[in-house]
Amino acid sequence: MRNYQFTVIVQQDEEGNYLAICPALQGCYAEGETPEEALGYLREVIQLHIEDRQARQEPIYEELFSQRLDIAA
């Protein structure tokens, strides 16, 4: 079994719910009423995504690096 590390982003929407996104894995996101709940659901989504790709013998793409950009507008 291999361990993977992914960057995740947590955002709050207009209704106050939280959205957790894993940009490195297309389609991997989850919502929750708290950041912790959204991250818990996202962990399950990522696990299922990895298991599905392994079953199909498809590569699991990992990010090379992440960087925060400051943009003045």
Side-chain angles (χ1 to χ4, degrees), residues 19-30 42 45-46 49:
L19 177 65
I21 305 164
C22 180
L25 302 175
Q26 185 177 8
C28 285
Y29 64 91
L42 181 60
V45 169
I46 291 171
H49 181 91

Side-chain angles (χ1 to χ4, degrees), residues 31-58:
E31 294 183 48
E33 293 182 10
T34 65
E36 296 79 17
E37 183 178 53
L39 287 170
Y41 291 146
L42 181 60
R43 182 177 295 277
E44 293 175 19
V45 169
I46 291 171
Q47 183 69 42
L48 292 171
H49 181 91
I50 289 172
E51 289 172 2
D52 183 60
R53 292 189 72 87
Q54 287 173 333
R56 297 177 192 213
Q57 298 181 4
E58 296 176 349

